[in-house]
Amino acid sequence: MAEQQEIENKETIASVDAKAAVARQENTNAREARNGHDGANRRGRRERDRRSEENKEFVEKLVTLNRTAKVVKGGRRFSFAALAVVGDKKGRVGYGFGKANDVTEAIRKSIDRAKRNLIVVPIKNGTVPHEMIGKFKGSSVLLKPARPGTGIIAGGAVRAVMDAAGATDIISKSIGSSTSVNVVRATFDAIEHLMDAKKIAVGRGKTLNELWG
């Protein structure tokens, strides 16, 4: 009887130890899973914060969104092309063109490409320094400086570019083709050929106030 009782006690202790080991392993697995989930949440939070900061820094404008259809055996397959303009309203602006089978993906691509192709616009007192004509294929865009209070007198594509750049008073005229892509590229051609007052002043040996007032 004593030996049987001892055997039963050993079996009970072994069973308790096994259950304790299983419980410890489950707690460890749960802790690791929780840590991994928390790490993923932290990474996702950091990514969202970075994107929100970028969104605060830049103004994003969708100029045009085109849909194309390709006829295949099972029906029609749609794809989308988006043209977007991005600027910080402090003299930097860029444009991008994106294509995808989904609308949101096409817009995201265009915005990302616009952020990678930023140029500086020499804006003084809310307007451009001088008159300039930009050309791209069949489109031509005229940019003229304007007095304070004039506002942005421009069409949709040119208005989006100048507003994103931070201009407040400007007169423009689009001549020729009215295709949005060509008009935007003609506008950027005019911006790229604008003279920077600081560089001109250094070249002429004058101060910025003497040159521009």
Side-chain angles (χ1 to χ4, degrees):
M1 292 293 293
E3 292 179 358
Q4 186 177 359
Q5 185 67 30
E6 185 177 355
I7 292 172
E8 290 179 357
N9 290 339
K10 288 182 179 180
E11 290 178 353
T12 302
I13 293 172
S15 177
V16 170
D17 291 342
K19 291 181 180 179
V22 171
R24 283 196 299 271
Q25 185 63 34
E26 290 178 352
N27 291 335
T28 302
N29 294 339
R31 187 164 57 252
E32 290 177 354
R34 188 166 56 253
N35 291 336
H37 188 263
D38 292 342
N41 286 339
R42 283 195 295 271
R43 287 193 295 272
R45 244 188 335 266
R46 283 197 296 268
E47 183 69 17
R48 286 194 299 271
D49 292 341
R50 184 182 65 80
R51 290 182 179 178
S52 63
E53 288 177 0
E54 288 183 355
N55 292 335
K56 290 179 182 178
E57 181 182 0
F58 292 105
V59 175
E60 302 168 356
K61 293 182 178 293
L62 181 64
V63 178
T64 183
L65 181 66
N66 294 328
R67 187 186 73 174
T68 59
K70 179 181 179 182
V71 179
V72 294
K73 185 176 180 180
R76 289 190 298 175
R77 183 179 299 168
F78 294 101
S79 63
F80 300 89
L83 175 64
V85 173
V86 171
D88 61 355
K89 286 187 172 290
K90 296 178 182 178
R92 289 195 304 162
V93 66
Y95 75 94
F97 195 73
K99 295 180 179 180
N101 294 329
D102 183 60
V103 177
T104 56
E105 184 66 16
I107 295 173
R108 186 192 63 80
K109 283 184 179 180
S110 63
I111 291 174
D112 289 343
R113 288 173 183 170
K115 289 179 180 178
R116 292 197 298 266
N117 298 307
L118 295 174
I119 63 172
V120 178
V121 185
I123 293 176
K124 174 72 173 180
N125 297 329
T127 189
V128 292
H130 58 86
E131 183 177 321
M132 180 55 65
I133 297 178
K135 296 181 180 180
F136 183 81
K137 293 188 177 180
S139 297
S140 298
V141 173
L142 168 65
L143 300 179
K144 294 178 64 175
R147 293 179 178 274
T150 304
I152 301 177
I153 301 177
V158 182
R159 176 183 290 273
V161 175
M162 301 314 299
D163 186 33
T168 56
D169 305 292
I170 194 168
I171 299 173
S172 74
K173 178 67 178 177
S174 177
I175 305 167
S177 173
S178 60
T179 306
S180 298
V181 179
N182 291 347
V183 172
V184 168
R185 293 190 177 184
T187 305
F188 274 82
D189 180 68
I191 291 172
E192 289 174 352
H193 287 88
L194 290 173
M195 291 185 291
D196 190 359
K198 292 181 180 179
K199 295 180 181 179
I200 300 299
V202 171
R204 295 183 182 180
K206 297 182 179 181
T207 63
L208 191 60
N209 291 331
E210 290 175 349
L211 181 67
W212 207 341

